[in-house]
Amino acid sequence: MNTPDVIVIGGGTGGYSTALRAAALGLDVVLAERDKVGGTCLHRGCIPSKAMLHAAGLVDGIAEARERWGVKATLDSVDWAALVATRDDIVGRNHKGVEAHLRHAGVRVVRGSARLTGPRSVQVEGGDGGDFTARRGIVLATGSRPRTLPGLAPDGRHVVTSDDALFAPGLPASVLVLGGGAIGVEYASFHRSMGAEVTLVEAADRIVPLEDADVSRHLTRGLKKRGIDVQVGARLLDAKVPGGGVRARVRTARGETRTLEAERLLVAVGRAPVTDGLDLAAAGLATDERGFVVPADWDRLETAVPGIHVVGDLLPPPSLGLAHASFAEGLLVAETLAGVASAPVDYAAVPRVTYSSPQTASVGLGEAEARARGHEVVVDTMPLTAVAKGMVHGQGGMVKVVAEAGGGRVLGVHLVGPHVSEMIAESQLVVGWDAEPADVARHVHAHPTLSEAVGEVFLTLAGRGLHQQ
């Protein structure tokens, strides 16, 4: 019983997907988890935050109904306890579902903290642990934790990270968000929908700085239109918690010092891989200077120690630190351990989404990145309000496609606007299959839809523009 084929350390999205696929391929799998299976994504990140953002969208809808459509609706209040109960019910049902999947697959879940004792051996302490030896391999999937700032310790109430922001008591009247990546933008959007005064501070010269510059520009415009104070090129000098809130000094892009006060400060300055307690050295492994476990073979996600693989947030770029990327990594590693041919993860074809209002969704290369890589490109952009359904939604947004010049393959697709998280799948296939604009242009998009704006851009790039000339 203690000599399974595969030992997976960590039961988040990367870990449990590895375990499920390996078990489906007939391997005997032990999954060690010290907390709850599902990890950060299910319990503190993706799922609870999107539940809250859905509720925020309902609040925004009441305002839109009144202000745009003549529906005389009013919002009396937000019942925070009821909102939290619905969120927790969704998380709980998903958690039970993951546990049921693992149980049905025959994965043995061992509760406790795991550490390596050799290149094929693991000791699990606490719970129902013990000593285990893997016949085929070990998979490291211990995830990440929020980065914090020196001298600014989270207290779960006035200073919070993305792990505890959703669980802080009540709805604050004002929020300062440090970090303009996807997490920071989503939390800024949520709190603004719930009526808070929000300031979003980003050190880079634009928010979501890893996205195409036009995505950043349109998203910034949308957030400012909603009343969010967006400060880019700004740096935190210091922050204090005097009692009932937070007082921070920020150096703006103009070199001015601003003092900002808020009931709550959210630190969203990235995440750091979790390897403490793993005892990597016992297996002959070490992290890089950033704390990541770097594969020696990216095609197999295998480390320099044969048989030890790594998935999820422990991986450095080009891995994306996204739950759906870790699912793909888990499939790859499980199939590799089972001796099944498996294609490497194509990170360029993995979609990236920010679930704010407006949303962003993209896949592939941005315009500047494509040019920097030596591609001669053509670009076409269309506002979502150029199609009737975009006018109906009235939230602005755009479609941008980057393609090789001369009718070559599509290199990247970038969307901003309502519901674009549900529109990116088509473009993922386009980029992943190296399609050309003409390949897409022959397919008819439904009318009226937001997605027909995507179709219109491909028609234009294929020389068949209809509403774009």
Side-chain angles (χ1 to χ4, degrees):
M1 289 293 291
N2 285 1
T3 56
D5 293 312
V6 178
I7 302 170
V8 181
I9 303 177
T13 50
Y16 84 68
S17 61
T18 305
L20 286 174
R21 181 59 179 147
L25 291 170
L27 300 184
D28 180 27
V29 182
V30 163
L31 171 62
E33 171 55 55
R34 64 187 177 189
D35 192 3
K36 298 177 180 179
V37 293
T40 294
C41 176
L42 176 52
H43 298 285
R44 297 177 295 279
C46 319
I47 305 307
S49 66
K50 276 51 183 184
M52 303 290 266
L53 284 162
H54 176 75
L58 297 177
V59 173
D60 291 337
I62 294 172
E64 181 187 358
R66 180 178 61 252
E67 295 165 9
R68 283 194 74 209
W69 299 99
V71 179
K72 301 305 179 183
T74 59
L75 176 65
D76 293 332
S77 64
V78 174
D79 186 335
W80 179 250
L83 191 157
V84 166
T86 301
R87 176 201 71 197
D88 291 349
D89 176 65
I90 292 167
V91 170
R93 284 189 284 140
N94 274 275
H95 179 221
K96 290 179 180 178
V98 173
E99 289 188 315
H101 282 310
L102 291 167
R103 188 166 55 249
H104 183 264
V107 174
R108 181 182 172 190
V109 178
V110 178
R111 309 290 177 178
S113 297
R115 67 181 184 89
L116 298 166
T117 55
R120 282 289 192 280
S121 57
V122 171
Q123 183 180 76
V124 182
E125 299 175 348
D128 48 0
D131 295 312
F132 299 87
T133 301
R135 289 192 291 263
R136 297 203 183 197
I138 296 171
V139 183
L140 306 179
T142 48
S144 63
R145 63 168 62 94
R147 295 186 187 275
T148 57
L149 296 175
L152 196 59
D155 60 14
R157 184 178 183 87
H158 298 302
V159 179
V160 297
T161 69
S162 58
D163 269 6
D164 50 25
L166 293 176
F167 306 96
L171 289 166
S174 54
V175 178
L176 170 60
V177 180
L178 294 181
I183 292 174
V185 166
E186 288 178 3
Y187 280 90
S189 180
F190 168 77
H191 283 293
R192 184 58 186 153
S193 296
M194 292 298 174
E197 294 297 320
V198 179
T199 301
L200 177 62
V201 176
E202 168 56 45
D205 61 0
R206 56 191 178 92
I207 60 174
V208 290
L210 299 181
E211 297 295 340
D212 184 272
D214 282 332
V215 169
S216 298
R217 181 167 58 84
H218 279 266
L219 177 59
T220 299
R221 180 187 301 165
L223 295 178
K224 286 184 174 181
K225 185 178 179 181
R226 297 181 57 208
I228 296 175
D229 180 10
V230 180
Q231 295 289 324
V232 296
R235 295 186 178 274
L236 177 72
L237 298 176
D238 56 52
K240 298 180 180 179
V241 185
V246 177
R247 182 179 298 116
R249 292 193 311 139
V250 173
R251 178 68 52 79
T252 70
R254 296 181 178 180
E256 303 167 345
T257 298
R258 283 185 60 187
T259 298
L260 304 171
E261 295 186 353
E263 285 188 22
R264 189 168 295 164
L265 168 64
L266 168 64
V267 180
V269 292
R271 297 183 66 86
V274 173
T275 57
D276 48 296
L278 267 181
D279 200 359
L280 295 173
L285 287 172
T287 65
D288 68 2
E289 66 279 1
R290 299 164 295 175
F292 294 110
V293 180
V294 182
D297 184 350
W298 278 92
D299 288 353
R300 297 165 54 88
L301 296 180
E302 189 170 24
T303 67
V305 177
I308 299 184
H309 299 255
V310 58
V311 298
D313 289 2
L314 290 185
L315 288 166
S319 184
L320 299 167
L322 300 172
H324 46 285
S326 69
F327 283 138
E329 291 159 355
L331 290 169
L332 167 62
V333 168
E335 289 165 357
T336 297
L337 288 168
V340 175
S342 188
V345 178
D346 181 3
Y347 290 107
V350 175
R352 306 175 299 276
V353 179
T354 303
Y355 296 84
S356 52
S357 178
Q359 295 183 351
T360 77
S362 59
V363 63
L365 303 180
E367 180 181 355
E369 185 179 6
R371 296 186 190 279
R373 293 192 183 190
H375 294 285
E376 185 180 349
V377 302
V378 292
V379 175
D380 191 50
T381 303
M382 184 176 189
L384 281 185
T385 50
V387 298
K389 198 64 179 290
M391 296 180 190
V392 170
H393 284 283
Q395 296 180 28
M398 64 107 192
V399 175
K400 179 176 181 177
V401 175
V402 181
E404 292 176 330
R409 63 197 174 100
V410 177
L411 299 173
V413 180
H414 309 275
L415 312 176
V416 180
H419 308 298
V420 295
S421 60
E422 305 295 342
M423 292 166 55
I424 197 61
E426 170 191 16
S427 298
Q428 177 187 359
L429 297 178
V430 170
V431 172
W433 286 344
D434 292 330
E436 299 173 357
D439 298 324
V440 187
R442 68 170 62 101
H443 298 287
V444 179
H445 288 71
H447 171 81
T449 60
L450 293 171
S451 62
E452 69 179 307
V454 178
E456 286 279 351
V457 171
F458 283 117
L459 280 169
T460 299
L461 288 172
R464 303 174 61 198
L466 186 59
H467 297 93
Q468 273 189 317
Q469 302 299 328

